[in-house]
Amino acid sequence: TIELTQNGEDAGSVIVDEAGKFSIETELTEGSNEFVAVSVLDGRVTGQSEPATVVLDTLKPVLTIDSPIDGEKTNRETVTVQGTIADENLDFVHVNGQAAAVSNGKYSKRILLDEGVNEILVEASDKAGNSETKKVTVTADYNAPEITNLKPENDLYLATGRSVKIEFDSSPGLKPSFVIHMPLTNVGQVTNATELPMMEQGNGHYVGYWTVPADTVANGAVVEVKVVDEFANETRQKATGKLFVN
């Protein structure tokens, strides 16, 4: 007779057939199941098997994508996909079919992005074949906006308190600003300047105003405008017209 134990508890018994084989049907419990077969003859134990372990895993991996966020926009050609993974019997984590590095419950994989919409699919699978997938999309744009019709086109001569209108055309919906670079007369260079805001007036037409502060003297100040799109692409351009203040 063979008596079978499962995790130390009785799981049934059966008489060995003429071929020396036996079969006992048991119900597995979630997790590790350790089986030991004991041979009994006339009430006495005549032998015992080495433990055999069967793991029942019916639970899917717990998976997250922490970065990038769904709908993110970027001007970078690569992105590092990161998140958390929890499964006692994890087999792999794939990002768009490529194996990710896994350590201490976290995974990471750097991938290339195509221009436009990129679908990022993360799949985690355990050794029992349970799997979980998560998906995010990232849109990439590598093209900086163009600036046209930048004014002033001609040099302007201004007095203290007078204002100058700065304007240009570009794509709608951008973040515009401008700076006035004052020349350093002793070395022929320009100083760093504070960015000043501009407003969009009409479809892609941007306007800003600069009023000459008191006691300002400038022999050819340079007007430079900047636009930044939603992908962080940036374009700068200097106006051909300079500012002269006496």
Side-chain angles (χ1 to χ4, degrees), residues 68 71-79 110-116 118 138-145 227-235:
E72 186 171 314
K73 297 178 179 179
T74 183
N75 62 357
R76 297 179 181 273
E77 295 182 353
T78 65
V79 67
R110 188 182 184 189
I111 62 172
L112 292 171
L113 296 175
D114 295 323
E115 186 157 15
N118 295 262
V138 172
T139 304
D141 187 336
Y142 311 130
N143 299 307
V227 285
V228 182
D229 65 17
E230 58 185 339
F231 296 89
N233 295 305
E234 177 182 308
T235 299

Side-chain angles (χ1 to χ4, degrees), residues 44-56:
R44 292 181 298 110
V45 174
T46 60
Q48 180 174 307
S49 71
E50 291 294 324
T53 301
V54 177
V55 176
L56 176 63

Side-chain angles (χ1 to χ4, degrees), residues 60-176:
K60 296 191 298 184
V62 179
L63 175 68
T64 69
I65 301 177
D66 297 335
S67 177
I69 61 174
D70 189 32
E72 186 171 314
K73 297 178 179 179
T74 183
N75 62 357
R76 297 179 181 273
E77 295 182 353
T78 65
V79 67
T80 299
V81 183
Q82 297 175 312
T84 61
I85 179 63
D87 193 291
E88 293 184 358
N89 306 295
L90 183 66
D91 188 14
F92 63 79
V93 177
H94 286 169
V95 178
N96 283 1
Q98 304 175 50
V102 180
S103 178
N104 298 321
K106 297 181 179 180
Y107 69 89
S108 177
K109 180 63 181 178
R110 188 182 184 189
I111 62 172
L112 292 171
L113 296 175
D114 295 323
E115 186 157 15
V117 178
N118 295 262
E119 183 176 276
I120 299 174
L121 184 68
V122 180
E123 179 186 11
S125 182
D126 62 24
K127 295 176 182 178
N130 302 302
S131 64
E132 177 69 298
T133 58
K134 298 287 185 179
K135 181 180 70 174
V136 296
T137 58
V138 172
T139 304
D141 187 336
Y142 311 130
N143 299 307
E146 295 184 0
I147 293 174
T148 59
N149 303 320
L150 175 57
K151 297 178 181 179
E153 296 177 304
N154 302 312
D155 293 346
L156 297 177
Y157 294 84
L158 305 169
T160 297
R162 295 293 301 272
S163 295
V164 57
K165 182 179 182 181
I166 300 159
E167 57 186 322
F168 64 90
D169 295 318
S170 190
S171 302
L174 304 177
K175 181 180 179 182

